[in-house]
Amino acid sequence: MTRLLPWIALVAFASVPLWLKDPYLLNAFVTTGIFIIAAMSLNLLLGYTGQLSLGHVAFFGIGAYTSALTALGFDIELIGGIRIVHEPWPVWLGFIIAILFTGLCGYVVGKLSFRVRGAYFVIVTISFAEVVRLVALNWVELTQGPLALTSIPPLTLGLPGIGYFDFFSKQSNYYLVLGVVVISYIIISRLVNSRIGRAMVALKENESLAVSVGIDVTRYLVLAAVVSAGIAGAAGSLYAHYLKIIDPDVFLFLYTVTMVIMVITGGKGTLAGPLVGGLIFGFIPVVARSFAAPEIQWILYGLFMILIVFVLPQGIVPAIEKWFGVDETKDSVGAPKAKTQDVP
């Protein structure tokens, strides 16, 4: 039965646009899905390697700006009078470039930041996010600064001679986001249930023991950072092309906090945790808006989060697995969970 749950959930969510006609709620599903993708990417670092990145929103924002600028084009002058003129490229190409570029940024940041641990690592990631935000705010010639990048085209797929399809409507964007959620889920699932994933879990559980059996700490942590950053960049790209406008507020610390809340309350280190936590905390403001004033909404949001943390300290998904007697040696897709002693 456990193996069927992902398929049942997929069919259920695929049917949503068929019966949900309220554009406001459909928009909530789309934006929540985008942040679920970002939360899944953060869970790879926080849940499977034990590294808390409070600057993860930087990759989200870099992906958004990279994809938007690739599709819009730009004309900038660098130091020494060198001028770079970029003509607009196809939107789907911008999406791919955003993933690759954010993955590269993840590699660079991982190489530098994983030399430290604990609070120092957190400070490095926060500082990186703030630097990127200031660049987006002040490099007006490239990013338009606080004036924002506008008229960002929607994502387009197609082949010459066959036709093109624009993801312009909320329904089409819903299926696009759902597709990226599924692909991200599969990628992370394959990774964490592989030999690489066992090494990552070993580093989280006991880094000294993992090193003693020959696991290269930096190698596996940097790999996790690259994959995590690439997926976060994909989420940022979807965000930019869905809203069709972005500004430096895309780097707000609040977005990182939202991702962390989704991961921890859902159950860090579980594949389904960010999905469950994302749906709950993505829709609490939507539900509360119908009966509470804005200031009360955030109070309810905070109280509900505190309640979950106190009542279900391991998260919602682990608690449900325990209640229903799911084998704790299996993960959410039925594969054996990694253990430190399993790592070669």
Side-chain angles (χ1 to χ4, degrees), residues 236-278:
S237 177
L238 292 174
Y239 186 78
H241 291 290
Y242 176 64
L243 294 185
K244 302 176 182 60
I245 178 174
I246 53 170
D247 61 20
D249 283 350
V250 75
F251 295 101
L252 285 176
F253 183 66
L254 175 63
Y255 290 156
T256 291
V257 173
T258 301
M259 298 174 200
V260 173
I261 290 173
M262 290 178 174
V263 171
I264 292 179
T265 57
K268 65 178 181 177
T270 63
L271 292 171
L275 301 173
V276 175

Side-chain angles (χ1 to χ4, degrees), residues 186-200:
I186 293 173
I187 291 173
I188 294 174
S189 173
R190 294 292 185 182
L191 180 63
V192 301
N193 291 318
S194 68
R195 179 176 178 274
I196 295 173
R198 293 196 297 272
M200 292 178 181

